[in-house]
Amino acid sequence: MINILKNPSRSSFPLHFTQQTDTHGAEGRGGEGDQRGFRYSTEFSFHSLSPDLIVHNVSGVSGRSYLKSLIAEKMVNRQLLLTYGYLLMYISLSSGVILYNKWVLSPNYFNFPFPITLTMIHMGFSGAVSFFLVRIFKVVAPVKMTNLIYLTCVIPISAFFAGSLWFGNTAYLHISVAFIQMLKSLMPVATFLVAVMCNIDKLRCDIFVNMVLISVGVVISSYGEIHFNVIGTVFQVSGIFAEALRLVLTQVLIQKKGLTLNPVTSLYYIAPCSFLFLLVPWYWFEKPKMEISQIQFNFWIFFSNAMCALVLNFSIFLVIGRTGAVTIRVAGVLKDWILIALSTVIFPESIITWLNAIGYAIALCGVVMYNYLKSKDIGVSNQLPVENISEKTAKEWKLEKKSSDIVQDDNNSGHRNNAGTNNGGTLSSSDSVDVEAPLLPSLRISHFGSSRSLEHR
């Protein structure tokens, strides 16, 4: 007999399945076992059982329905926990990379004023890691890349990608992190203007009003900046428009080609090409300075900095795959506020005035409205409702577990119960469902483009 035991004072798990057996004639007990018998129980961990096996062992329609509802509740809670964990990881990594780059490049701290060199280190490290994962360890397979696709898609996208990183990192030498985040509010404006010029978006009144609102907020914020620097502002705005061009090119060129890239293969093709593009400005602008100056090079600092940038690129794909582009945009807004607050603490020279705050608040309202209108346009079709999450997870769990079996104690039942099949075999406690998918083979590179507008190193 299988009983479902649950603590009545708690509505959450753990859930235990206890098998009871009355045994008579206990040895050495003087017949006590004949009168009372004794009970032993075997408890199975919830995570080591598949839903089909659990429900199969529960008799009664009401018991099965109750158990299914508990399983659904458990999986939904696990999905929500994973979602919050991924968003926290994205916000922490994105903020950490920006603050780390500022600390490395700033003359007041680590004093490595070579933004092109730092960007080349990032691209070289990312390209090397992706090469080992694709060619040596064969974690993922390379896509079918033709010379035509490489020339018409990868090269121009890599050029604008390199330019956006170069300009964005150079801005750290001249303006504060807080002011850079305020200027990044122009990203929707730049992307919308480039999309309209490339005829992939239409000029709409409601979107145009939001663009004007964002622009006015950025102008007010710039006017209130105490340490306003024209060079730094020009570099940052140039980086924003270079990123906007890359996003539009990604959508126009890659999406129309139907090319599917995961985070590893995208870096495998784009990072080396971006590295080569950065060699030209590095040779003309930074190489002569590096020859006459005393460079402070610390291997562990640059290695950890490049590693953080690489993990951030992977985490963006993971977060989008688990949450959606709309959710990560909202997380990007939260990240900007956190980053502005942290930058004023870590870098005391970064001062925020009332005009800065008012202007950024106005721009932020425009950004939020823009994200709302865009999500309304697409109907948020990529985001599943909560009731469908449990159904989808249960199906995935069933597929993962259908070939696994569990062997009950031979002294109890003398037979084997299988999880989805009647084949032999056992299911150990270590055979758990891998709910994380760091490599998403079906994720298009256009998702990568839409997410990069939230993070510029």
Side-chain angles (χ1 to χ4, degrees):
M1 178 179 65
I2 305 294
N3 293 334
I4 303 176
L5 302 181
K6 188 180 179 187
N7 189 345
S9 64
R10 297 178 60 186
S11 61
S12 60
F13 283 83
L15 180 67
H16 299 287
F17 305 93
T18 305
Q19 183 168 6
Q20 300 177 353
T21 302
D22 293 329
T23 305
H24 302 281
E27 296 179 2
R29 295 177 183 250
E32 180 181 357
D34 294 333
Q35 299 175 3
R36 293 168 37 190
F38 67 94
R39 184 181 71 177
Y40 66 91
S41 64
T42 304
E43 295 183 352
F44 300 98
S45 173
F46 172 82
H47 297 285
S48 65
L49 298 176
S50 65
D52 286 345
L53 178 62
I54 296 174
V55 175
H56 176 74
N57 283 282
V58 179
S59 61
V61 177
S62 60
R64 293 177 182 176
S65 301
Y66 175 68
L67 184 55
K68 285 183 178 179
S69 65
L70 292 179
I71 296 173
E73 177 187 354
K74 178 69 174 180
M75 288 186 288
V76 169
N77 292 336
R78 193 177 185 185
Q79 288 288 333
L80 292 176
L81 183 62
L82 285 173
T83 298
Y84 292 136
Y86 293 148
L87 291 176
L88 178 62
M89 176 183 63
Y90 160 73
I91 292 175
S92 301
L93 286 172
S94 182
S95 303
V97 168
I98 292 174
L99 294 174
Y100 204 168
N101 288 347
K102 173 65 176 179
W103 181 82
V104 171
L105 294 169
S106 177
N108 299 328
Y109 298 95
F110 187 72
N111 191 21
F112 186 80
F114 303 106
I116 303 177
T117 305
L118 183 64
T119 308
M120 290 176 64
I121 293 175
H122 290 177
M123 292 296 98
F125 183 78
S126 299
V129 172
S130 59
F131 175 82
F132 276 96
L133 293 177
V134 173
R135 294 296 183 183
I136 307 300
F137 300 106
K138 300 186 184 301
V139 176
V140 293
V143 300
K144 185 178 180 181
M145 180 68 66
T146 63
N147 293 332
L148 180 62
I149 294 178
Y150 194 86
L151 291 174
T152 59
C153 298
V154 175
I155 289 181
I157 289 173
S158 300
F160 286 110
F161 184 49
S164 66
L165 296 179
W166 167 25
F167 296 147
N169 282 337
T170 304
Y172 290 125
L173 298 176
H174 306 282
I175 55 181
S176 64
V177 172
F179 187 50
I180 287 175
Q181 295 306 120
M182 296 176 188
L183 290 176
K184 284 182 181 180
S185 301
L186 288 172
M187 191 64 214
V189 179
T191 306
F192 178 71
L193 292 177
V194 174
V196 171
M197 289 188 294
C198 294
N199 200 26
I200 66 172
D201 204 345
K202 296 180 180 180
L203 185 62
R204 294 165 39 187
C205 181
D206 52 354
I207 297 293
F208 181 76
V209 170
N210 278 279
M211 300 300 101
V212 173
L213 184 63
I214 294 173
S215 302
V216 170
V218 172
V219 170
I220 295 175
S221 179
S222 302
Y223 183 78
E225 176 66 18
I226 295 178
H227 304 292
F228 182 81
N229 185 282
V230 177
I231 298 177
T233 303
V234 170
F235 268 109
Q236 182 59 45
V237 174
S238 300
I240 290 173
F241 275 92
E243 178 69 7
L245 286 169
R246 188 191 69 84
L247 295 177
V248 174
L249 278 177
T250 299
Q251 183 176 356
V252 172
L253 300 178
I254 296 294
Q255 193 170 9
K256 287 187 176 180
K257 298 288 185 180
L259 188 63
T260 301
L261 298 177
N262 59 47
V264 177
T265 53
S266 62
L267 289 176
Y268 173 74
Y269 291 108
I270 294 177
C273 192
S274 298
F275 180 88
L276 294 178
F277 275 110
L278 290 169
L279 274 176
V280 177
W282 175 82
Y283 181 82
W284 288 103
F285 297 111
E286 291 191 358
K287 183 177 180 294
K289 296 180 181 179
M290 297 178 70
E291 291 176 350
I292 62 176
S293 61
Q294 295 181 353
I295 302 176
Q296 182 181 359
F297 187 86
N298 187 306
F299 171 80
W300 292 111
I301 287 180
F302 288 102
F303 175 78
S304 60
N305 184 258
M307 178 62 73
C308 290
L310 176 67
V311 175
L312 174 60
N313 285 325
F314 289 166
S315 70
I316 292 175
F317 282 90
L318 180 60
V319 172
I320 291 180
R322 287 292 178 180
T323 61
V326 177
T327 305
I328 199 174
R329 289 190 183 197
V330 177
V333 173
L334 177 62
K335 180 212 69 176
D336 290 340
W337 280 106
I338 295 175
L339 192 55
I340 290 174
L342 285 177
S343 65
T344 58
V345 176
I346 299 175
F347 307 108
E349 67 275 9
S350 180
I351 302 175
I352 301 177
T353 64
W354 281 107
L355 278 178
N356 282 140
I358 294 174
Y360 183 65
I362 295 174
L364 191 61
C365 291
V367 172
V368 172
M369 287 301 300
Y370 173 80
N371 290 335
Y372 171 75
L373 291 174
K374 298 302 288 186
S375 63
K376 186 178 179 181
D377 290 342
I378 64 176
V380 202
S381 59
N382 292 330
Q383 301 233 357
L384 293 175
V386 175
E387 59 268 20
N388 290 337
I389 294 178
S390 60
E391 297 175 3
K392 179 181 178 182
T393 308
K395 292 179 180 179
E396 294 176 353
W397 197 356
K398 180 179 178 181
L399 292 175
E400 292 285 340
K401 295 293 187 180
K402 69 178 182 178
S403 61
S404 301
D405 305 322
I406 183 169
V407 180
Q408 291 185 351
D409 195 340
D410 292 337
N411 295 328
N412 299 338
S413 59
H415 67 275
R416 296 183 178 183
N417 292 327
N418 298 330
T421 62
N422 292 326
N423 299 330
T426 61
L427 176 67
S428 63
S429 61
S430 62
D431 295 331
S432 59
V433 180
D434 184 13
V435 297
E436 296 186 1
L439 304 183
L440 306 174
S442 62
L443 196 59
R444 293 189 182 275
I445 195 174
S446 58
H447 293 166
F448 175 67
S450 64
S451 66
R452 288 293 303 181
S453 62
L454 299 175
E455 181 272 321
H456 304 282
R457 295 194 302 273

